Amino acid sequence: MGEASVREPDGAGAEPGVRAGDGAVIATRALTKRYRGGQLAVDGLHLTVPEGSVFGFLGPNGSGKTTTIRMLMGLIEPTSGTAHVLGRPMPRSARAVLPHVGALIEGPALYGFLSGRDNLLRYDSADPTADPRTRRVRVAAALDRVGLTAAAGKKAKAYSLGMKQRLGLAAALLQPRRLLVLDEPTNGLDPQGMREIRTLVRALASDGITVFLSSHLLDEIEQVCTHAAVMAQGRLITQGPVADLAAGARGRLAVTTPDPADAARVLKEQGVADVVVAGDRVTGEAPERDLAEVNAALVTAGVRVRGFGVERASLEDAFVALTGEGFDVAG
Amino acid sequence: MSRAEAVRRASPLWTLGLFRSELLTTFRRWRTLALLGVLAAVPVLVGIAVRIETGDGSSAGGGGGGGPAFISQITNNGLFLVFTALAATLPFFLPMAVGVVAGDALAGEANAGTLRYLLVAPAGRTRLLFTKYAAVLVFCLVATLVVAVSALATGALLFPLGDLTTISGTRIGFSEGLVRALLIALVVAASLVGVAALGLFVSTLTSSGIAAMATTVGLLITVQIVGQIPQLHAVHPYLFSHYWLSFADLMREPVHWDDLTKNLGLQALYAAVFGSAAWARFTSKDITA
């Protein structure tokens, strides 16, 4: 079934994946998975991951993120709907698509009795498109890229969780990839390790690799991602550029003053809605008009102002606004 | 254009890399080595026991009555220890070892989570299944040869070697005897093909390596018990162990091929049936581990 097209027939630059005019690296249509127990894990998902993006995939535990990733990787058959990765249907085209995809799914899994290097050699030999003549060189390069060269000869069972995570990442980087799917890549890493992973992700993205990154850390998504999607209870709540998502929740005007009561009165007069006083801080929804005038009005009214500005809405605000609940609530 | 460079032209031979990796992984597992160690110890124990028992000049097995096949002949010719050891390990030790390795083949990978990474590599489900089965068959052969070689070494050390008498009463030279021993080892290894397929099928059913190993070994014991119950003789010809001891027919002159071919046919049938079942199951399974 379509095996002939697995081997690229010519070098005419015809990539197997992206069709002309189709910029989506991942595209799902009404993707649904109902497990045998009747549990609806993913419900009618329409997900579009643009090429070249760093795509954050957000959602509390049990929201269907991992099931979605497993369907994209051909590990789970969808109940209904379609999933296209690199322009080809999954899981049918797994053999053509997956060599171009590096994946870290639900944490690393290693052969404890093999060294880190031998683990990578095994995973690489599982890929029928991987050239055995360059295997050792590529493994060494991948180990170097995640900073594990010194520990490459140690048995994997002696690795710390952070080292295992790095080795899992190295496995995803054994070949030049077009898409990286990273499920919670900074899990178990110390802050230094997290920074390194973020740097690595940015470097990969600047090479033109699309990165699909699931995380429960909102600030991580904000720091690294260009686009994001939010899932809750198997449904996609929203997706789009991170800046748009954050802008969806309007920023709040915050005034720091020793005269909060007067400030609150003036702000209301100036048309600021939802004014909240907390200690010496007064906040409210930023009005449409020029904020300089609002500030001038405060000063004219004799309110002493220590600080004045709009706090940009965070992704967390956006998330709470979208789901009406905190992020850590398990679905 | 960097995109064009990313296009990789795969050689069909590269697909064998997974088989090589599978063999390395299997034989570097501590468990595999321990199983082979136990199998190597059996002929040594049998040899020493026969040696001690016959130290006073009496023949082993109380004059040829009990014990595994050929045991009474060991004192005359150490080569018979090979046949005795294979006859002693074939009913249980060898298939148990194969059951452990085959049962763990996929379930163990699922248990460790490495299965999902092999599949996204992408190993390909059919390719991975064939590779696993091929590696288990190699283990069958290696396990049998370990028993045979250990028995030959022990026999050569403890007993005289030389021309031997076949079951039919004719005499054959020692080198001819060695060829027969090798043939018997190959037939014994081939007798394990059915258990290997059964174990691999069980391995596709669960994500727990221990459960798959226990189930396979449990099935083996059940089959052996059913094979012992005369009232169930109607099903006996369909049990994978029914013709196992037919390898002794290779020690006849001329060789009786009837049961030998029936054995090989039955093993092929088991391999086909359970191999297909394993394929049907594994290629359609949701990998959630």
Side-chain angles (χ1 to χ4, degrees), chain A residues 124-135 138 175, chain B residues 8 10 14:
Chain A
D124 194 63
S125 59
D127 179 355
T129 69
D131 188 344
R133 288 165 297 186
T134 60
R135 184 161 291 151
R138 284 182 293 110
Q175 299 252 27
Chain B
R8 292 187 287 268
W14 295 357

Side-chain angles (χ1 to χ4, degrees), chain A residues 149-226:
Chain A
T149 303
K154 270 214 295 188
K155 292 246 187 293
K157 66 179 163 219
Y159 278 18
S160 68
L161 182 55
M163 289 162 83
K164 287 179 180 168
Q165 194 78 14
R166 285 158 192 260
L167 196 63
L169 267 171
L173 299 174
L174 283 168
Q175 299 252 27
R177 309 288 192 190
R178 295 181 51 207
L179 168 66
L180 278 179
V181 175
L182 305 177
D183 195 3
E184 305 273 358
T186 58
N187 244 6
L189 295 184
D190 53 22
Q192 172 65 22
M194 287 175 149
R195 259 199 301 283
E196 286 171 19
I197 297 299
R198 274 177 216 144
T199 311
L200 183 61
V201 167
R202 285 196 194 100
L204 292 165
S206 68
D207 290 349
I209 301 173
T210 309
V211 183
F212 186 77
L213 183 94
S214 94
S215 180
H216 66 280
L217 298 174
L218 285 154
D219 39 334
E220 183 168 294
I221 300 274
E222 257 188 319
Q223 285 179 41
V224 182
C225 295
T226 58

Side-chain angles (χ1 to χ4, degrees), chain A residues 219-254:
Chain A
D219 39 334
E220 183 168 294
I221 300 274
E222 257 188 319
Q223 285 179 41
V224 182
C225 295
T226 58
H227 294 66
V230 179
M231 277 194 84
Q233 290 164 6
R235 295 185 146 274
L236 187 68
I237 291 177
T238 183
Q239 63 180 327
V242 166
D244 293 1
L245 291 182
R250 300 255 302 278
R252 285 180 74 82
L253 176 65

Side-chain angles (χ1 to χ4, degrees), chain B residues 70-94:
Chain B
F70 307 111
I71 197 163
S72 58
Q73 307 234 42
I74 294 175
T75 43
N76 300 328
N77 194 332
L79 191 54
F80 274 101
L81 186 56
V82 176
F83 311 137
T84 307
L86 289 173
T89 49
L90 182 54
F92 193 70
F93 278 108
L94 275 173

Side-chain angles (χ1 to χ4, degrees), chain A:
Chain A
M1 33 157 239
E3 287 300 301
S5 55
V6 172
R7 316 241 178 277
E8 276 74 61
D10 52 58
E15 270 292 286
V18 178
R19 296 193 209 95
D22 182 1
V25 169
I26 295 173
T28 72
R29 291 291 165 266
L31 190 67
T32 302
K33 179 65 186 181
R34 186 184 290 277
Y35 283 115
R36 229 181 301 167
Q39 180 208 349
L40 196 58
V42 175
D43 185 6
L45 191 66
H46 289 268
L47 191 67
T48 307
V49 176
E51 182 163 21
S53 64
V54 180
F55 196 96
F57 196 38
L58 276 164
N61 297 331
S63 58
K65 285 181 303 188
T66 299
T67 301
T68 305
I69 288 176
R70 280 177 182 269
M71 283 193 281
L72 292 175
M73 296 293 101
L75 294 171
I76 291 181
E77 188 93 26
T79 308
S80 63
T82 61
H84 282 74
V85 177
L86 300 176
R88 288 174 162 237
M90 291 295 282
R92 203 148 49 80
S93 297
R95 286 186 56 184
V97 169
L98 291 179
H100 300 278
V101 180
L104 188 66
I105 307 161
E106 268 193 293
L110 305 167
Y111 299 87
F113 61 99
L114 295 181
S115 70
R117 182 184 294 113
D118 288 343
N119 267 283
L120 294 187
L121 289 172
R122 173 151 175 80
Y123 284 136
D124 194 63
S125 59
D127 179 355
T129 69
D131 188 344
R133 288 165 297 186
T134 60
R135 184 161 291 151
R136 295 212 154 255
V137 177
R138 284 182 293 110
V139 164
L143 284 165
D144 187 52
R145 187 137 202 196
V146 297
L148 272 182
T149 303
K154 270 214 295 188
K155 292 246 187 293
K157 66 179 163 219
Y159 278 18
S160 68
L161 182 55
M163 289 162 83
K164 287 179 180 168
Q165 194 78 14
R166 285 158 192 260
L167 196 63
L169 267 171
L173 299 174
L174 283 168
Q175 299 252 27
R177 309 288 192 190
R178 295 181 51 207
L179 168 66
L180 278 179
V181 175
L182 305 177
D183 195 3
E184 305 273 358
T186 58
N187 244 6
L189 295 184
D190 53 22
Q192 172 65 22
M194 287 175 149
R195 259 199 301 283
E196 286 171 19
I197 297 299
R198 274 177 216 144
T199 311
L200 183 61
V201 167
R202 285 196 194 100
L204 292 165
S206 68
D207 290 349
I209 301 173
T210 309
V211 183
F212 186 77
L213 183 94
S214 94
S215 180
H216 66 280
L217 298 174
L218 285 154
D219 39 334
E220 183 168 294
I221 300 274
E222 257 188 319
Q223 285 179 41
V224 182
C225 295
T226 58
H227 294 66
V230 179
M231 277 194 84
Q233 290 164 6
R235 295 185 146 274
L236 187 68
I237 291 177
T238 183
Q239 63 180 327
V242 166
D244 293 1
L245 291 182
R250 300 255 302 278
R252 285 180 74 82
L253 176 65
V255 178
T256 314
T257 168
D259 313 316
D262 291 340
R265 178 177 46 79
V266 176
L267 286 177
K268 277 179 192 157
E269 286 168 9
Q270 295 294 316
V272 176
D274 189 24
V275 175
V276 177
V277 180
D280 63 350
R281 267 170 58 87
V282 182
T283 60
E285 277 176 25
E288 298 297 325
R289 52 191 296 208
D290 190 354
L291 290 175
E293 285 177 28
V294 178
N295 194 14
L298 283 169
V299 175
T300 310
V303 177
R304 295 168 291 170
V305 175
R306 285 205 193 106
F308 182 94
V310 175
E311 290 176 342
R312 198 173 60 84
S314 70
L315 209 52
E316 183 159 8
D317 296 329
F319 186 86
V320 171
L322 285 166
T323 62
E325 62 189 33
F327 188 68
D328 291 326
V329 177

Side-chain angles (χ1 to χ4, degrees), chain B residues 161-224:
Chain B
L161 295 176
D163 291 358
L164 49 147
T165 313
T166 62
I167 296 176
S168 312
T170 58
R171 288 191 71 78
I172 54 173
F174 179 68
S175 54
E176 167 81 16
L178 269 183
V179 172
R180 298 278 176 110
L182 181 65
L183 262 177
I184 285 181
L186 293 178
V187 168
V188 168
S191 302
L192 299 168
V193 163
V195 183
L198 180 65
L200 197 66
F201 170 61
V202 171
S203 197
T204 61
L205 298 179
T206 167
S207 300
S208 158
I210 302 285
M213 288 188 263
T215 308
T216 310
V217 174
L219 280 171
L220 169 69
I221 295 171
T222 311
V223 163
Q224 293 288 49

